[in-house]
Amino acid sequence: MHIKSAEFVMSNSNVAKCPKSMLPEYAFIGRSNVGKSSLINMLTGRKSLAKTSGRPGKTQLINHFIINKNWHLVDLPGYGYARVSKSAKKTFQKFITQYFALREQLVTAFVLVDIRHKPQPIDLEFMQWLGENGIPFSIIFTKADKLKSNAITRHVEDYKAVLLETWETIPNYFITSSSKSMGKEDVLNYIDELNGNMISNLN
């Protein structure tokens, strides 16, 4: 897929106010220091489409972007280490949960995981919640440029081993690096394939 256009549409904390169009949506979510904004900018080829910050927890709203005029990329608030109050975290959790429960346009979620670290309970619990609620998702391992190739393989295999303790099969996954544009074509081609399947099913 070639990204010809990527434009900001809206930000809000109310799922009912999300775009009314029935364009397919792909939601990106992960711990608040996982490099989500950098990944979105890398995928779209726009350096400042999603705002990056040295302070974790910068994204605090549901952000919609329209890509190539035919699908929405959704940037959801990070979870985990955001420097916000407990009440704010509860608010984020509420509208994130509502988004996944109510947004019919959602095709799949992408759960971002820092490949440098061992599997974190907060990520595993969130994936478990998605699975229990029947929400399709893929894992995107980020920051692969920080490891050598053999370490990447080892860390992914370790992650898969932990997942297989509770999952029958391994979710679809991608290995990425925003600074190296690693995995860009794989993720975009996957979205393109899903969009194509939706059109075929409609016909």
Side-chain angles (χ1 to χ4, degrees), residues 45-103:
R46 307 296 190 272
K47 291 183 178 180
S48 57
L49 187 70
K51 294 180 180 179
T52 58
S53 172
R55 179 170 60 86
K58 185 68 174 178
T59 303
Q60 298 182 4
L61 296 168
I62 302 170
N63 298 305
H64 274 76
F65 303 91
I66 187 166
I67 311 299
N68 288 350
K69 308 292 185 184
N70 63 7
W71 60 277
H72 282 127
L73 185 157
V74 184
D75 180 10
L76 293 173
Y79 51 79
Y81 304 117
R83 292 179 183 175
V84 296
S85 66
K86 289 183 178 180
S87 61
K89 286 183 181 180
K90 287 182 179 179
T91 300
F92 296 166
Q93 185 175 9
K94 181 178 179 180
F95 67 70
I96 289 171
T97 301
Q98 289 179 336
Y99 173 84
F100 284 114
L102 302 175
R103 197 64 178 160

Side-chain angles (χ1 to χ4, degrees), residues 79 93 111 113 119-133 137 159 162-163 166-167:
Y79 51 79
Q93 185 175 9
V111 180
V113 172
Q120 301 293 307
I122 192 169
D123 294 322
L124 298 172
E125 289 168 8
F126 183 68
M127 292 179 206
Q128 189 70 28
W129 182 85
L130 290 175
E132 290 172 354
N133 287 275
F137 73 93
Y159 216 99
V162 172
L163 287 171
T166 53
W167 292 79

Side-chain angles (χ1 to χ4, degrees), residues 39 42-43 140-141 144 174-178 180-190:
L39 178 81
M42 181 269 282
L43 292 175
I140 292 185
F141 290 104
F174 302 91
I175 298 171
T176 70
S177 162
S178 297
K180 303 292 185 182
S181 293
M182 181 190 301
K184 178 177 181 176
E185 289 189 8
D186 293 335
V187 175
L188 291 179
N189 287 342
Y190 179 65

